[in-house]
Each structure stands twice: as structure tokens, then as C-alpha cells.
Amino acid sequence: MGFFTTIINKSLAVAQGVGEMLALLCETIYFFKEAPRNLASIFRQMSIVGIGTLPIAMLVALFVGMVLSVQTGSELARYGTQEAIGAIVGISMVKELGPVMTSLLVAGRIGSAMAAEVGAMQVYEEIDALKTLEINPVRYLAMPRLIACLFAVPALTAFAMVVGILGGGVVAAINPQIDVPFSVYYDNMIRAMGYMEIFKGLLKAMVFGGIIAHVGCYIGFKTTGGARGIGESTTRSVVLSFLLIMVANYLLTRLMM
């Protein structure tokens, strides 16, 4: 009986958490109407998300594109089809690697910071002070962060796509095992990749950005237990964001096929 009781309690806790997250999401979306009055806060969050993450995102994308080109091009060269490397790297970066890789970087760097910042405000009763001043915490904290991530993460992803594709093209041109000129690499990539592939990749990035901001704010609002609770919330935010990004990536890929 104890085992089944534990299972039931865990299931109820998960269901309660899902319900609370959906309620917070609906409330945050409701306050989107207040966005024009909070542009300064939104742009500040976009700067934190975008400019702060851009260098590391571009560096990681560069090496991911280079590694993808080396590994795939070497295998294709064995069958004399290395000219297809441009199409493979381009589609991979645009539809999968670009959105997922960038979103995981943002979740680890920005999502954890959001959870820590909001969690600290919750622990040290700053959120209660906002309520005392008749300032809605969701409008003041969650809404600007969600809107910022909805726009900043796709922008970061676009940069990552371009850098990753360029890195793959450079490796394909200078690697003697592959030896595909950049012009051939580029032409094959353009023929294989249309605007819809780019749109799908950016749409994925927008959904992932919303997940990161929403999870960070939700975990922050639920933080208790002082400094230790803030650290635990940071970890939970990253783990939950990673999990939901992977689940959402599968579902979106399935729907977009």
C-alpha cells in the first residue's frame, strides 16, 4: 500500500505542477496587452538574453558545423557523394542543431539566472513587497522575460545557423578528404533548403524560448528555503527546461513533417 500511495502522491504532485504552470502561462499571456507600457523592461531582458549569449552561441555553432562537416563529409567521400555535404549541413543546422543547441545554451545560461533572480525575490519577500505596492508580479517579472525570450532566442538561432553553415563550408573546402569548393557547397545547400525549413527552425526556437522563460519564472515563484532553495531552484529550472525542450522538439518535428 505504501508503494501505491507514493505513486499516487507523486502523480498528484505532477498534475498540480502542470496545472500551476498552465495557469501562470495563461496569466502571463493575458498581460501581453501591457507590453507597450513595459518596453524598457522587455528590451533590457532581450539584451541580457541576446547579447550576453551571442558570443558563446556563435562559437559553439561554428565548431558544431565544422564537426558535422568533417564527420559527414568523410563518410560521403567514401562513396563519392561528398558534394551533398552542403545540403546535409544546411538542413541539419537549420531544422535541428541550430534551434536545439542554441536553446540549451540559453536555458543553461539565462533560464537558470531567471530562476535564481525571481527565486531570490521570492525568498527575500520582494515579491510580497510588489504585491503590497499593488504591482502584479506576473506582469512585472514574467511577462517581460517571456516576450524577450520569444524574440531573442530565434534571433540567436538565426546567427547560430549562419555561423554553423559557414563553418561547415570552410571545413569542406580546406579538408583534402572532402575537397568541396564553397561555391558547390553553397549551391547544393540552397537547392536543398527552402524558406519553409528556415521558418520551421525559427518557430522551434521561439517555442523553446517561451519554455525557457516560463520555466525559469515558474520555478522562481515556487522557490522556498533561503539560499539553498535558490540553488536547488536553479538546478531544477535547467533540468526541466532541457526535458521540455527535448519533448517539444520531438512533437514539433512530428507535426512539421
Side-chain angles (χ1 to χ4, degrees), residues 181-229:
F182 191 83
S183 58
V184 176
Y185 173 94
Y186 177 79
D187 289 341
N188 282 309
M189 181 194 69
I190 293 298
R191 280 199 294 267
M193 187 172 60
Y195 291 110
M196 281 305 299
E197 280 71 25
I198 299 174
F199 172 77
K200 291 175 183 177
L202 296 178
L203 179 61
K204 279 187 177 183
M206 180 175 287
V207 174
F208 299 159
I211 289 173
I212 293 165
H214 184 59
V215 169
C217 292
Y218 169 75
I219 296 296
F221 284 132
K222 299 292 290 183
T223 301
T224 57
R228 181 173 182 177

Side-chain angles (χ1 to χ4, degrees), residues 11-29 138 142 214-215 217-224 236 240:
S11 300
L12 291 175
V14 171
Q16 180 181 356
V18 171
E20 291 175 347
M21 290 186 70
L22 289 175
L24 176 61
L25 179 61
C26 291
E27 187 175 1
T28 307
I29 294 174
V138 176
H214 184 59
V215 169
C217 292
Y218 169 75
I219 296 296
F221 284 132
K222 299 292 290 183
T223 301
T224 57
R236 285 201 302 271
L240 184 57

Side-chain angles (χ1 to χ4, degrees), residues 7-152:
I7 295 296
I8 292 173
N9 290 337
K10 291 290 185 182
S11 300
L12 291 175
V14 171
Q16 180 181 356
V18 171
E20 291 175 347
M21 290 186 70
L22 289 175
L24 176 61
L25 179 61
C26 291
E27 187 175 1
T28 307
I29 294 174
Y30 171 78
F31 282 114
F32 276 13
K33 63 182 183 179
E34 302 290 334
R37 299 169 54 188
N38 294 268
L39 290 178
S41 179
I42 293 171
F43 286 135
R44 183 169 61 252
Q45 293 298 325
M46 289 179 67
S47 175
I48 294 171
V49 176
I51 297 176
T53 313
L54 183 60
I56 184 65
M58 293 179 67
L59 184 63
V60 172
L62 175 65
F63 283 99
V64 167
M66 292 170 68
V67 170
L68 181 62
S69 183
V70 168
Q71 292 184 336
T72 307
S74 298
E75 291 299 318
L76 292 175
R78 296 172 58 185
Y79 304 99
T81 57
Q82 64 268 34
E83 291 185 356
I85 186 64
I88 294 174
V89 173
I91 292 176
S92 299
M93 288 299 303
V94 166
K95 296 182 69 173
E96 282 298 321
L97 292 178
V100 174
M101 173 197 64
T102 305
S103 300
L104 294 179
L105 283 173
V106 174
R109 185 183 182 276
I110 302 299
S112 59
M114 288 183 180
E117 183 180 1
V118 177
M121 296 181 70
Q122 177 69 31
V123 167
Y124 298 118
E125 300 181 353
E126 294 180 37
I127 291 180
D128 292 335
L130 291 175
K131 294 177 181 177
T132 303
L133 296 172
E134 297 185 353
I135 299 174
N136 189 294
V138 176
R139 179 187 64 80
Y140 185 75
L141 297 173
M143 182 269 292
R145 287 167 170 79
L146 181 58
I147 293 179
C149 282
L150 287 176
F151 287 96

